[in-house]
Amino acid sequence: MPPSTAPASAPVSSPDVTALGDARIITAAEFEFRPVAGAGSGARTTVATPVSPAAGATHVTLHVVRIAAGESFTPEHSAAEENTVVVFSGTGTASVGDLNAPVERGSAAYAPTGRALTLTADGRGLTAYVWRTPLAGARVGSDPNLHSSLWDDTTQLRGFGGTGQVDAADRRATMNFVFWPGNGSSRLCLHCGIQQPGETFNVHLHPDSDEAFIAFEGVGQMYLRDRWIDVSAGDVLYASPGVLHGARNPHTGPTARRFVTCGGPSPFDPALYSAAGYSSQVR
C-alpha cells in the first residue's frame, strides 16, 4: 500500500475562516479547499475545514479532504487525539496505526489516541469527512472497533422523541451507533441517522457537547435553533452546546428516497445511549 507521496498533515485552520457563531449550516458550495500543508511539491490533495476552534467551535474540528489518486492524508497530531472518518466518495485504504482496511463510500474508521489515522486514495481518488478532538482526560477504550460502516445496524436508537423543546413527530427515524462507548470510543462518536421518506430524527440539544454532522445521502432538512432548513448531500451542520438541532425527510410519494446524515456530538452525549437503553461506559 505504498503511496506515491509521503502522508500529508492537515494545516492549522486559517485565520480567515467564516465564524460559526453558536450554530451554522455550511453548504458544500461554501467549502474553501486549500492545498494540504507539507504535502510536498506536486501534491494535489486539498482540504477544507468548515468547523474548527479557529472558527468558534468548542470541542471539535471537521475537515473535508479530497485526496488525489495515489496520495495520502494524516490529520495533524492524529496520534495525540481522536479521529473518526467517513468516506464520502471514491476508494482507497484507511490505516489506523498498523491496521489497514480497504474503504469505499460509506466506510468509516475510528483512530483512538495513540494510533494515527492515514487515508490513502487509489486510482479514483477519495473524498472523506474527518472529525478530530483531543482526548481531554477520557479513558482510552480497551478494545475499540477501528473499522466499520455507516450501515452497521448492530446497535441502534429507535423511536427517539427529542428533548422536549419542540413537539415530536410521530414517524421517527432510526440511528445507527457506528462508533460509541459500547464499542470502545472514548470521546468522539459516529452515528448514522437514516430518515426514510416522511421520518424525523426529533429535535434535541446536547448540554455539554458540540454537534457536527453532515448530510451524507439524499436531500432533506436540518433543524437549527428555531427552524427547518433545506440541505443536500455534503452540507454540514454545527451546533454549539445547548443549541437545538435535528434532521428530517419531508419528502413522500413514489419518487421519495431516504435522507442519510452522519456525525455526532463531541464529547459523546450519554443521554442518547440512555434513550436507547444502553450504558455509556467505555468498553
Side-chain angles (χ1 to χ4, degrees):
M1 188 204 69
S4 63
T5 67
S9 294
V12 174
S13 298
S14 170
D16 61 352
V17 293
T18 302
L20 294 169
D22 66 348
R24 189 165 181 265
I25 287 177
I26 309 99
T27 67
E30 296 177 271
F31 297 164
E32 296 185 13
F33 287 91
R34 296 179 173 87
V36 173
S41 177
R44 295 161 291 140
T45 294
T46 58
V47 65
T49 307
V51 177
S52 68
T58 309
H59 302 290
V60 68
T61 296
L62 175 61
H63 296 307
V64 187
V65 58
R66 294 173 173 170
I67 306 172
E71 294 186 0
S72 294
F73 172 85
T74 297
E76 186 181 35
H77 309 307
S78 177
E81 58 189 20
E82 286 190 304
N83 299 152
T84 57
V85 58
V86 170
V87 175
F88 189 74
S89 64
T91 56
T93 302
S95 302
V96 179
D98 58 1
L99 184 62
N100 308 321
V103 292
E104 60 185 4
R105 177 169 167 80
S107 295
Y110 167 65
T113 299
R115 305 193 212 186
L117 169 71
T118 299
L119 302 171
T120 301
D122 67 10
R124 298 174 52 195
L126 186 152
T127 298
Y129 286 69
V130 180
W131 287 258
R132 301 171 50 192
T133 192
L135 185 63
R139 184 174 69 84
V140 176
S142 61
D143 185 24
N145 283 14
L146 304 181
H147 295 281
S148 189
S149 160
L150 294 182
W151 320 125
D152 182 352
D153 59 3
T154 303
T155 309
Q156 295 182 314
L157 171 58
R158 293 177 173 269
F160 181 61
T163 50
Q165 297 84 0
V166 175
D167 290 342
D170 291 331
R171 296 183 61 186
R172 301 179 182 183
T174 296
M175 175 173 283
N176 294 338
F177 293 153
V178 181
F179 298 122
W180 68 292
N183 60 20
S185 179
S186 299
R187 182 172 169 88
L188 273 181
C189 60
L190 178 64
H191 305 153
C192 176
I194 301 175
Q195 288 80 213
Q196 298 292 351
E199 291 185 345
T200 298
F201 193 80
N202 280 298
V203 174
H204 59 287
L205 58 78
H206 307 294
D208 303 306
S209 307
D210 279 351
E211 176 72 86
F213 71 86
I214 74 169
F216 180 80
E217 177 186 305
V219 293
Q221 294 181 330
M222 293 178 178
Y223 191 94
L224 195 58
R225 286 198 193 93
D226 60 358
R227 69 196 64 188
W228 291 101
I229 301 168
D230 292 336
V231 294
S232 57
D235 295 347
V236 170
L237 176 145
Y238 169 76
S240 64
V243 174
L244 293 169
H245 56 280
R248 73 179 180 185
N249 185 346
H251 306 291
T252 56
T255 62
R257 299 290 183 267
R258 70 182 181 183
F259 172 53
V260 177
T261 55
C262 64
S266 175
F268 66 74
D269 186 348
L272 287 180
Y273 309 123
S274 177
Y278 298 112
S279 168
S280 57
Q281 180 69 34
V282 177
R283 189 189 76 183

